[in-house]
RNA sequence: GGAGAGGUGGCAGAGUGGUUGAACGCGCUGGUCUCGAAAACCAGUAUACAGCUCGUCUGUAUCGGGGGUUCGAAUCCCCCCCUCUCCGCCA
């Protein structure tokens, strides 16, 4: 497995019509027409998100490209006209030559050659323009893939997570976050690292032995609790919210990563399986691509959103509400030295993820965002874990979202240390709810036909998409274990999880 | 991994060099008929991009993808991808 960022220019990013799932090649990305009309909006978007994309260069290349296209198409039209006109004549002449006397044949042959050579100049011009186009398009497409979706106007402008705005706090009656853990429960808390060690719930040494840093083994009730929270979350989404459960690939093609918007920006976060000896499509010797490399997904969102890539959905079938539980792989590049111990930041974990694909309607999109956040609140309240909602500022948004709300759970074993060298507790991110408009669906070429079933009726429109964590574990075991620990070192199992723990009510 | 078959419009399925963006059928939409529905009949029914005299306009591209041959390619040649069947292996 190659771990380095891979650069593969062969990905076909040109603007092409949709050809169905098996032959998917197109990434319309952001709406170039819209960008052409309102370049400032996209420039501002880049600035607010602190993402570099050369919009001016993009516009310049776009203009070059369109000028070339216009000129080239005019010549193609002329060539087609000539071919249509002279074709039958050529056939006739060729026939006549066979029957004619030698002198006549020579004359006819000259006529034939003249006819055949008529489009030669046009062909030469077209070939040249194709060359010029080939020089412009790769750069244009590369920039286009980097242009982020501008954040919504109501998203606070800021440079980092420090500028995020708290929207709401919730905690169960038995735990007041504004007071210390000891004031709440009458004893000093252990961190989850101490708890899993003392209760035998995880084995970090053996995990690291096998798989390196940030690896772990869940043992005994640790594994059982992990499964329990995932199952609890999954069942909540299926039984209470009516989401459709799916099992999706976690090993996917590059196209799925680009289409869902994780590439190119997040390429260094993904594990790359070098499966093929793929030759770049623009390799001069090359007869094209050979095989496909694969990538491990960092979230079930990739598989869920990739499902309908390249499809035109029936409007009546929207919204599509999907939930999956999948193993997620993240290289955590750039996070060296951060959260190096414990179950908080690890390379492999499991996550229940929800996505909604809906009509291209801002109000509907916004309404789903609120609902999807609400589902998570219901789960956290059901487990009685204190949490807060954070409105992420523009600088904390990724390229693909217009708006993002993080949900942070209270972790008594996190945060700065008190006088005794014990952590005071802190919120830690456990969920993230994104609203993407049609950014992702454009890249995935996922549309719906307005006006109902059947072909040939109504316009096609790119869908809107949203996603939100439902529950990620083992990270979620951090607040769970730390909040539910008892003075004697045992951990009470929350009532909601006991059915998934064989009726057991405590660990240790 | 070995062998074979095949990829054409929403579906099914013709087409092996020249008004073929593509027959026939199904589906879908509109209309006729009907109190209404069904049936029957008639008509229509892909996508994307570009252009302007922005029109139910013009042009270009698309028959798995890319490249080639040709005045002209769904059709011929090369490479790749994918699907299916049989055998082997396997959770």
């Amino acid at each position: 497995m190659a771990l380095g960022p891979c650069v593969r220019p062969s990905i076909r990013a040109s603007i092409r019509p949709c050809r169905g799932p098996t032959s998917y090649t197109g990434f319309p990305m952001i709406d170039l027409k819209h960008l052409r009309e309102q370049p400032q909006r996209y420039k501002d978007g880049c600035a607010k998100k602190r993402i570099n994309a050369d919009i001016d260069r993009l516009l310049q290349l776009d203009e070059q490209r369109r000028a070339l296209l216009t000129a080239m198409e005019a010549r193609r039209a002329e060539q087609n006209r000539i071919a249509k006109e002279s074709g039958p004549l050529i056939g006739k002449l060729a026939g006549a030559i066979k029957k004619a006397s030698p002198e006549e044949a020579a004359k006819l042959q000259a006529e034939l050659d003249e006819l055949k050579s008529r489009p030669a100049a046009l062909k030469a011009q077209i070939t040249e323009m194709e060359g010029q186009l080939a020089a412009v398009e790769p750069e244009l497409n590369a920039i286009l893939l980097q242009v982020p979706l501008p954040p919504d106007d109501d998203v606070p402008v800021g440079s980092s997570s420090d500028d995020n705005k708290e929207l709401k706090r919730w905690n169960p009656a038995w735990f007041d976050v504004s007071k210390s853990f000891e004031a709440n429960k009458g004893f000093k808390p252990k961190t989850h690292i101490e708890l899993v060690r003392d209760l035998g719930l995880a084995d970090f040494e053996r995990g690291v032995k096998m798989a390196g840093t940030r690896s772990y083994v869940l043992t005994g009730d640790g594994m059982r609790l992990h499964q329990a929270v995932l199952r609890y979350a999954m069942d909540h989404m299926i039984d209470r919210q009516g989401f459709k459960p799916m099992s999706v690939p976690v090993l996917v093609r590059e196209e799925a990563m680009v289409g869902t918007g994780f590439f190119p920006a997040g390429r260094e976060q993904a594990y790359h399986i070098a499966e093929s000896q793929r030759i770049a499509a623009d390799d001069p010797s090359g007869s094209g691509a050979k095989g496909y490399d694969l990538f491990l997904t960092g979230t079930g969102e990739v598989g869920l959103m990739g499902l309908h890539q390249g499809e035109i959905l029936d409007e009546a079938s929207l919204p599509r509400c999907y939930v999956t539980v999948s193993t997620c792989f993240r290289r955590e590049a750039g996070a060296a030295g951060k959260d190096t111990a414990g179950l908080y930041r690890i390379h492999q974990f499991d996550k229940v993820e929800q996505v909604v694909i809906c009509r291209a309607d801002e109000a509907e999109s916004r309404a789903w965002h609120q609902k999807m956040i609400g589902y998570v609140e219901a789960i956290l309240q059901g487990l009685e874990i204190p949490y807060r909602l954070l409105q992420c500022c523009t600088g904390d948004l990724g390229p693909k979202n217009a708006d993002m709300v993080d949900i942070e759970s209270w972790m008594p074993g996190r945060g700065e240390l008190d006088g005794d060298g014990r952590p005071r507790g802190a919120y830690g991110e456990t969920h993230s709810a994104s609203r993407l408009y049609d950014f992702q669906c454009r890249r995935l070429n996922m549309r719906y036909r307005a006006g109902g079933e059947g072909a040939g009726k109504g316009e096609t429109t790119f869908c809107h998409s949203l996603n939100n964590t439902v529950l990620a574990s083992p990270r979620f075991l951090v607040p769970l274990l730390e909040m539910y620990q008892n003075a004697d070192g045992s951990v009470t199992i929350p009532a909601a999880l006991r059915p998934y723990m064989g009726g057991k009510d405590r660990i240790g």
Side-chain angles (χ1 to χ4, degrees):
Chain A
M1 189 193 302
L3 295 186
C6 89
V7 178
R8 204 203 69 195
S10 65
I11 192 141
R12 300 299 298 173
S14 47
I15 297 160
R16 284 166 203 288
C18 150
R19 320 261 351 188
T22 54
S23 57
Y24 171 71
T25 54
F27 301 118
M29 302 158 256
I30 54 148
D31 189 348
L32 233 185
K33 270 187 225 166
H34 191 250
L35 185 139
R36 216 178 279 146
E37 287 159 13
Q38 299 189 40
Q40 198 52 46
R41 186 170 150 64
Y42 287 87
K43 287 183 193 175
D44 292 346
C46 287
K48 284 179 176 177
K49 284 191 169 182
R50 315 199 139 219
I51 291 171
N52 285 322
D54 193 340
I55 305 287
D56 285 323
R57 177 69 180 151
L58 181 64
L59 290 169
Q60 189 192 346
L61 290 167
D62 173 53
E63 201 165 316
Q64 282 178 30
R65 178 178 163 272
R66 281 183 298 139
L68 277 168
L69 266 183
T70 304
M72 198 167 85
E73 285 180 0
R75 281 161 183 78
R76 281 237 172 92
E78 177 68 7
Q79 192 196 5
N80 285 343
R81 218 203 71 231
I82 292 172
K84 204 174 268 187
E85 234 175 53
S86 58
L89 280 174
I90 289 168
K92 236 185 264 172
L93 279 172
I97 287 170
K98 284 183 190 159
K99 294 181 221 155
S101 64
E103 310 88 72
E104 270 178 322
K107 220 174 87 188
L108 291 171
Q109 186 64 49
E111 214 176 308
L112 183 68
D113 291 344
E114 195 276 327
L115 262 181
K116 283 192 177 183
S117 66
R118 274 168 67 187
L122 285 172
K123 277 188 82 172
Q125 287 175 11
I126 290 169
T127 305
E128 196 196 322
M129 287 172 179
E130 279 173 345
Q132 291 172 330
L133 211 53
V136 167
E137 284 191 326
E139 189 186 348
L140 185 143
N141 290 327
I143 298 176
L144 206 46
L145 274 175
Q146 287 163 16
V147 177
L149 179 66
D152 267 344
D153 292 337
D154 53 359
V155 172
V157 176
S159 54
S160 75
S161 54
D162 297 336
D163 299 317
N164 294 345
K165 302 266 187 291
E166 186 173 301
L167 297 173
K168 174 183 179 179
R169 282 187 185 206
W170 182 90
N171 52 262
W174 56 268
F175 197 96
D176 183 353
V177 168
S178 64
K179 294 183 190 148
S180 73
F181 186 94
E182 190 171 15
N184 275 291
K185 297 198 35 156
F187 63 96
K188 290 261 186 193
K190 292 182 179 176
T191 68
H192 81 277
I193 299 170
E194 293 161 335
L195 286 166
V196 298
R197 179 196 62 204
D198 296 347
L199 295 169
L201 304 180
D203 181 343
F204 294 104
E205 291 74 16
R206 292 196 171 92
V208 170
K209 175 176 75 177
M210 284 188 281
T213 70
R214 297 194 191 283
S215 299
Y216 61 96
V217 174
L218 293 176
T219 54
D221 281 336
M223 177 54 174
R224 201 167 194 197
L225 195 59
H226 169 72
Q227 294 285 305
V229 292
L230 293 171
R231 185 62 196 272
Y232 173 74
M234 196 73 186
D235 285 355
H236 177 88
M237 293 308 292
I238 299 166
D239 296 333
R240 307 241 194 128
Q241 312 305 346
F243 275 52
K244 187 172 181 182
M246 298 286 204
S247 146
V248 293
V250 296
L251 194 55
V252 302
R253 292 184 173 179
E254 187 174 18
E255 281 77 355
M257 298 300 277
V258 176
T260 46
F262 286 94
F263 284 8
R267 190 180 276 276
E268 69 288 346
Q269 280 301 332
Y271 289 102
H272 173 199
I273 315 290
E275 247 225 332
S276 67
Q277 285 75 52
R278 193 168 193 179
I279 311 162
D282 53 2
D283 188 305
S285 73
S287 44
K290 192 183 180 79
Y292 281 96
D293 281 0
L294 295 169
F295 295 83
L296 287 166
T297 59
T299 165
E301 175 192 343
V302 176
L304 289 178
M305 288 305 303
L307 273 171
H308 298 297
Q309 132 182 341
E311 295 184 27
I312 299 175
L313 302 170
D314 193 327
E315 186 180 13
S317 75
L318 301 178
R320 303 276 182 121
C321 301
Y322 297 139
V323 62
T324 191
V325 56
S326 69
T327 303
C328 305
F329 302 90
R330 300 189 181 179
R331 293 188 58 221
E332 296 299 342
K338 228 160 102 183
D339 312 308
T340 47
L343 294 171
Y344 188 84
R345 189 178 300 277
I346 48 199
H347 287 310
Q348 176 184 329
F349 58 95
D350 292 286
K351 180 154 66 81
V352 179
E353 178 79 6
Q354 51 174 326
V355 306
V356 168
I357 300 161
C358 70
R359 295 185 312 121
D361 180 275
E362 181 176 344
E364 187 177 336
S365 228
R366 283 180 180 271
W368 271 115
H369 197 219
Q370 293 307 310
K371 280 191 213 173
M372 292 166 84
I373 292 166
Y375 302 153
V376 171
E377 293 194 66
I379 286 171
L380 293 175
Q381 291 180 16
L383 294 173
E384 302 189 37
I385 297 292
Y387 65 87
R388 65 171 179 175
L389 304 188
L390 275 188
Q391 171 62 59
C392 292
C393 73
T394 56
D396 211 19
L397 299 185
K400 64 195 173 78
N401 26 27
D403 179 17
M404 184 163 88
V405 172
D406 278 357
I407 301 168
E408 297 186 335
S409 301
W410 184 254
M411 304 181 182
R414 253 178 106 72
E416 53 191 40
L417 305 181
D418 64 13
D420 300 337
R422 303 296 301 169
R424 294 180 192 276
Y427 285 105
E429 181 185 332
T430 48
H431 301 74
S432 187
S434 295
R435 197 155 56 75
L436 293 79
Y437 289 122
D438 64 0
F439 182 85
Q440 203 168 37
C441 294
R442 268 180 191 285
R443 290 184 168 229
L444 288 164
N445 204 0
M446 189 191 306
R447 293 167 291 170
Y448 67 93
R449 196 181 293 283
E453 65 270 21
K457 202 208 166 192
E459 299 278 294
T460 58
T461 312
F462 292 107
C463 307
H464 279 191
S465 68
L466 302 102
N467 63 76
N468 188 6
T469 321
V470 179
L471 195 143
S473 184
R475 182 179 282 193
F476 192 73
L477 300 186
V478 175
L480 196 72
L481 292 170
E482 290 176 355
M483 281 298 296
Y484 278 90
Q485 61 182 301
N486 302 311
D488 65 0
S490 67
V491 170
T492 299
I493 296 167
L497 296 179
R498 287 176 199 162
Y500 300 105
M501 294 290 289
K504 225 169 141 157
D505 62 6
R506 68 165 45 208
I507 296 172

